[in-house]
Amino acid sequence: MSIVCLEFFSGIGGLHYGLQSSGIDAQVAMSFDMNENANSVYEHNFHKRPNNKAIDFLNPQDIDKHQATCWLLSPPCQPYTRGGKYLDDEDPRARGLIHLLKLLPQLKHIPTHFFLENVMNFENSRSRVLLVETLGKMGFEIHECLMSPVQFGIPNNRLRYFLTARQTQPGKSVEESERWTAEYLGRGREAVFTQWPFGPATGKAVVEPMSLLSSYIDEANNTVESLMVPEATILKRKRLEFDIVVASSALTSTFTKGYGSKHLIGSGSLLQTRRLDIVENGFGSPERLLDLGLRFFSPGEVARLHHFPYEENNVGEDQRKSDSQVAQQQKPIRYTLSFPPSINQSQQLKLIGNSLNVHVVAQLIRFVLFADNNDKDC
């Protein structure tokens, strides 16, 4: 029987793609997000528009009607970052997550599996304490980790916090729950795994060799004018602070929602396409960079580094008809990512920068969250 999931803070569907890539027999009954650009992309690819009702206004009936046994969540990261002033549970953007945790014990159909992704530092937050306390009281077995795609052979550094939880003791007494929660939280950072594989995945998950950047990029993009870094943008920096990589590199920095805009510093790597005999470390006189053909990674290249099943061309109505035919034959639909014409290059990069790494999610879902399913053919 297929597992029924709800996807909260769905964005462009990173968790949905991760679930698909895991090979677990599951379906997403409903997704929830208020970002209309993200919802347009989600609908374009999954043919179902997310519910745009504010998550902190959902009631038990809104959730119970789906009879979901698995929750997938990627709540806003700003409350746990320097840019968001580390306001944690006092940040309005944390209300959705806090509200869901308060709703959870009130539901008739309580999920048995729970998956959450967020930025590093969430593990130090009051929101995380509330999350662990809530799940602990309800008899969930919890695994937390800090994982980056580089640990899975992907040349992109994107260190993120993940929590997987399975309800193994739903009838646990209040005293047992409080004791377990106190002991677990008392372990502090020691409770958070940082090496892959860990826990249930040990001895099952394969540690993959590192790939080179060349397998993710398209050299045809080297001449796309809209991807070239403007000379004026380079020259206005008195000291260079860019992360410059080449096709033979084995690492790129984290791509953020500011990538491809005027916010160059700290938003992601730039690709050097000319004068490859020159190795530039990104510090010094900006004039030295003008002959290097620096460009941004394209939305498709960033999507591939995040291991989305990216389709360069807009599949449109023909693909919808094909999906419908597959559904009628009772075969699982393999969803891919493409962008509707209404979403421009800047918006595409912002949406992908706000997302996650699909492969990392898939591995955690398959080998940790649903470890008991590993004996099945995935």
Side-chain angles (χ1 to χ4, degrees):
M1 183 175 179
S2 182
I3 297 160
V4 178
C5 303
L6 293 180
E7 185 182 16
F8 297 98
F9 316 99
S10 52
I12 60 174
L15 292 173
H16 196 157
Y17 288 113
L19 183 69
Q20 171 181 269
S21 183
S22 73
I24 299 298
D25 183 13
Q27 58 176 310
V28 175
M30 181 55 67
S31 52
F32 301 84
D33 204 291
M34 291 183 65
N35 185 310
E36 290 305 322
N37 280 342
N39 288 347
S40 294
V41 175
Y42 195 104
E43 181 181 23
H44 177 75
N45 293 297
F46 294 107
H47 320 319
K48 187 175 184 179
R49 196 169 187 87
N51 186 328
N52 67 351
K53 183 177 181 178
I55 288 177
D56 49 319
F57 282 92
L58 293 176
N59 59 46
Q61 293 72 33
D62 292 328
I63 297 173
D64 271 328
K65 66 182 181 182
H66 298 290
Q67 300 184 33
T69 56
C70 177
W71 282 16
L72 308 171
L73 305 90
S74 183
C77 64
Q78 294 90 340
Y80 318 105
T81 65
R82 181 175 59 186
K85 301 181 180 178
Y86 299 112
L87 292 179
D88 200 344
D89 53 358
E90 296 179 359
D91 191 311
R93 291 165 290 194
R95 288 176 186 164
L97 174 61
I98 304 302
H99 179 69
L100 287 175
L101 295 178
K102 291 179 179 178
L103 278 186
L104 194 56
Q106 305 175 32
L107 300 176
K108 293 180 181 179
H109 299 281
I110 293 174
T112 56
H113 293 76
F114 193 100
F115 185 98
L116 181 141
E117 178 269 352
N118 213 278
V119 291
M120 182 178 68
N121 195 52
F122 183 89
E123 73 277 11
N124 300 317
S125 68
R126 294 184 298 274
S127 298
R128 178 255 182 177
V129 171
L130 178 62
L131 173 61
V132 170
E133 288 177 343
T134 301
L135 295 176
K137 290 176 183 177
M138 301 177 71
F140 280 81
E141 175 189 59
I142 295 171
H143 287 96
E144 298 175 278
C145 65
L146 289 170
M147 293 286 134
S148 174
V150 296
Q151 294 169 275
F152 299 80
I154 301 168
N156 178 241
N157 184 32
R158 193 177 184 84
L159 188 63
R160 289 294 183 267
Y161 167 90
F162 299 93
L163 176 142
T164 67
R166 295 183 293 171
Q167 192 179 42
T168 57
Q169 297 178 285
K172 187 187 293 186
S173 69
V174 174
E175 292 77 12
E176 284 182 296
S177 298
E178 290 179 347
R179 183 169 59 252
W180 179 89
T181 302
E183 291 176 355
Y184 185 87
L185 291 174
R187 293 167 58 192
R189 288 291 294 271
E190 292 183 3
V192 181
F193 292 96
T194 57
Q195 299 295 320
W196 178 259
F198 65 85
T202 305
K204 297 179 180 179
V206 177
V207 178
E208 301 160 67
M210 181 61 70
S211 301
L212 294 181
L213 192 54
S214 55
S215 60
Y216 293 88
I217 62 174
D218 183 355
E219 291 188 358
N221 288 327
N222 291 351
T223 57
V224 175
E225 186 63 30
S226 63
L227 294 175
M228 305 309 295
V229 181
E231 289 190 1
T233 303
I234 296 174
L235 292 174
K236 75 177 182 180
R237 307 297 306 185
K238 294 183 179 179
R239 282 186 55 82
L240 306 184
E241 301 168 357
F242 306 120
D243 178 39
I244 300 171
V245 297
V246 295
S248 58
S249 297
L251 186 64
T252 51
S253 57
T254 303
F255 295 97
T256 73
K257 67 178 183 180
Y259 189 70
S261 68
K262 62 181 179 180
H263 304 292
L264 286 180
I265 309 306
S267 63
S269 299
L270 302 176
L271 184 65
Q272 179 178 341
T273 63
R274 297 197 300 266
R275 299 297 305 275
L276 299 180
D277 56 310
I278 298 177
V279 178
E280 187 53 71
N281 61 13
F283 293 91
S285 170
E287 287 78 9
R288 291 175 13 211
L289 300 185
L290 298 182
D291 294 330
L292 301 186
L294 296 181
R295 73 165 174 90
F296 297 106
F297 285 75
S298 71
E301 290 166 336
V302 179
R304 284 192 287 269
L305 278 167
H306 289 183
H307 272 242
F308 280 87
Y310 181 74
E311 291 283 349
E312 191 69 46
N313 297 320
N314 186 339
V315 293
E317 201 60 38
D318 289 341
Q319 182 62 52
R320 292 173 186 267
K321 292 178 182 178
S322 175
D323 288 348
S324 177
Q325 292 169 357
V326 170
Q328 290 174 7
Q329 297 170 14
Q330 297 184 330
K331 295 180 180 179
I333 298 173
R334 189 75 179 172
Y335 295 107
T336 57
L337 171 68
S338 62
F339 292 95
S342 60
I343 305 298
N344 63 38
Q345 177 179 291
S346 176
Q347 293 168 327
Q348 292 176 29
L349 287 169
K350 183 175 182 178
L351 290 168
I352 299 170
N354 255 341
S355 195
L356 43 76
N357 190 285
V358 169
H359 182 72
V360 176
V361 169
Q363 294 293 290
L364 291 171
I365 287 177
R366 178 178 179 181
F367 291 107
V368 183
L369 183 62
F370 288 102
D372 294 341
N373 294 52
N374 284 334
D375 293 334
K376 300 178 181 179
D377 184 11
C378 292

